[in-house]
Amino acid sequence: MESNGTRSRRHVLAAIVAALGVLTAGILLEVLGTILFALTVAYVLMPVQRWFVRRGFTEWTGALAATGVGFVVAVAVFSPIVLTLYVNVDEIVDIVEGLPPEIPITAFDVTYTIEVAEVQTFAIDLLTSTAFSLVSALPVLAIKFALFVILLFALVLKGEEAARAAIAPVPHDYRDIVDALATRARETLYAIYVLQLATSAATLFIAYPLFWALGYEIPFTLAIIAAILQFVPIIGPSLLILPIAGYHVVAGELAAAVLVGVLGIALVAWLPDIAVRPRLARRSAGLPGSLYFVGFTGGLFTLGAIGIVVGPLIVAVFVEAVDLLADEVNGDADVADLLDVDATDDSGAQSSEPESDTEATFDESRSRPADH
């Protein structure tokens, strides 16, 4: 049985660790996104490391093999994006510059003219500045990527020790809550990394031959953009397909617009979701698409690129905490039972009647003279 002194000592140590963690995060603010990314990836790769250990690897070599898996996946994901932005930015700029400065739209015999010159200028400046910033930041990105790999290996190797240290100060009566939150976090990260990544890969393999068959000059670039947009919940690659179809409509190519619109929505935006996602969703968190979208957009606007992962993760853990609180307070009661005021009033009135009878009996006994 633990003494109060031992328990208090653990709580003080936990508070010191939390305070030093906040201070460390402030000092490492410039690489905080890289650290958070490594933390989330390591959380997903820890079962991979245990899988290697079960097959004869040592703890160290298993962590090294799992880190190698993460390294290969990260290179496979990010290198096409970087190369696409760097190599094909001129072709994308030419396509944007080829748009007409004005788009006439006729409805009910009235013609409206939409000015797109300012949008063209903004898009061209954004693409150019992004490409220039990417080239300028390559040395910094290389250092951050090296930090990511080293930190990933350390976290995978010592993840169990870190988890035990984090759980140790928590009283035993509350560790089921920690387990529930950790399970929801693991399922959410699985959904973000494994499920979304597999869906994006399927989108890439479907989109490339489709755009190539339709005669586009940069089919691989368009396929990469569609795969990236697969991470955007609900709307996904539709953000690419609809503007392309609109471009053909403006250019007077209605047949091409219908063709790319129908095939793009059906094969690129819709097919990967129904072919890949159900097969891998068994271990996902099952977070509703609306909440995932809120976490995605909020995290992206607040934290930048790392918010794509952190935003949905925080929302999922918050929803799990709310569910735990609701189960703790209300049990299995449904909304109708909780809102049934009449039943509550009746039960209160019934419970007060015996009390009134008791009080009346007591008063009578006090007013009645005692028998001698």
Side-chain angles (χ1 to χ4, degrees):
M1 189 71 179
E2 293 181 348
S3 63
N4 292 332
T6 302
R7 190 178 300 111
S8 300
R9 179 181 175 85
R10 290 186 178 183
H11 292 165
V12 170
L13 287 175
I16 293 174
V17 170
L20 291 176
V22 173
L23 178 62
T24 304
I27 296 174
L28 302 177
L29 189 60
E30 289 297 324
V31 292
L32 190 58
T34 305
I35 296 173
L36 289 175
F37 184 49
L39 281 170
T40 56
V41 174
Y43 201 51
V44 176
L45 288 179
M46 287 175 63
V48 178
Q49 187 249 4
R50 290 194 291 267
W51 183 86
F52 281 116
V53 171
R54 288 195 300 269
R55 277 149 183 80
F57 286 70
T58 64
E59 294 286 337
W60 194 90
T61 56
L64 184 63
T67 304
V69 172
F71 174 82
V72 171
V73 172
V75 170
V77 170
F78 290 107
S79 58
I81 299 174
V82 175
L83 291 176
T84 297
L85 290 175
Y86 178 71
V87 175
N88 297 320
V89 65
D90 292 334
E91 296 180 2
I92 299 175
V93 169
D94 291 339
I95 293 174
V96 176
E97 289 179 342
L99 293 172
E102 297 180 351
I103 301 177
I105 298 178
T106 303
F108 302 105
D109 297 330
V110 178
T111 301
Y112 301 92
T113 302
I114 301 177
E115 300 287 342
V116 297
E118 295 183 1
V119 178
Q120 281 179 302
T121 303
F122 172 77
I124 293 171
D125 292 342
L126 178 63
L127 290 170
T128 306
S129 61
T130 301
F132 179 77
S133 300
L134 180 62
V135 174
S136 303
L138 281 179
V140 177
L141 291 176
I143 295 174
K144 288 185 176 181
F145 189 73
L147 172 64
F148 164 76
V149 174
I150 295 172
L151 186 59
L152 180 63
F153 172 74
L155 290 171
V156 172
L157 181 61
K158 298 296 182 180
E160 293 292 339
E161 288 81 354
R164 284 198 295 269
I167 296 174
V170 180
H172 287 277
D173 293 339
Y174 298 93
R175 291 186 180 180
D176 59 328
I177 299 176
V178 176
D179 180 67
L181 296 178
T183 301
R184 174 59 72 99
R186 181 171 59 251
E187 292 174 348
T188 303
L189 291 174
Y190 175 89
I192 294 173
Y193 285 129
V194 179
L195 194 150
Q196 288 293 130
L197 191 60
T199 308
S200 297
T203 302
L204 175 63
F205 286 114
I206 294 173
Y208 175 69
L210 175 64
F211 289 128
W212 178 82
L214 293 177
Y216 291 97
E217 296 181 359
I218 48 173
F220 186 72
T221 300
L222 295 176
I224 285 291
I225 296 174
I228 296 172
L229 290 175
Q230 191 62 252
F231 280 87
V232 181
I234 300 176
I235 46 182
S238 302
L239 289 173
L240 174 67
I241 302 300
L242 295 179
I244 293 176
Y247 173 83
H248 288 297
V249 171
V250 172
E253 302 169 350
L254 297 180
V258 173
L259 190 62
V260 72
V262 174
L263 294 180
I265 295 296
L267 299 179
V268 178
W270 184 56
L271 182 59
D273 277 329
I274 64 172
V276 176
R277 194 177 298 275
R279 300 176 184 274
L280 299 176
R282 176 175 53 88
R283 292 177 54 189
S284 65
L287 189 67
S290 57
L291 292 179
Y292 184 85
F293 185 77
V294 170
F296 178 91
T297 54
L300 180 63
F301 292 146
T302 305
L303 302 175
I306 189 62
I308 295 174
V309 176
V310 177
L313 177 61
I314 295 299
V315 171
V317 174
F318 172 72
V319 170
E320 181 66 23
V322 171
D323 290 341
L324 290 173
L325 178 61
D327 293 339
E328 187 76 17
V329 174
N330 300 323
D332 296 331
D334 54 18
V335 177
D337 294 334
L338 296 175
L339 298 179
D340 192 357
V341 181
D342 296 335
T344 305
D345 294 340
D346 293 341
S347 61
Q350 292 173 2
S351 61
S352 63
E353 289 176 1
E355 184 178 353
S356 301
D357 295 340
T358 305
E359 292 178 353
T361 305
F362 179 72
D363 292 338
E364 292 177 0
S365 63
R366 293 186 59 185
S367 61
R368 186 184 305 119
D371 296 333
H372 296 285

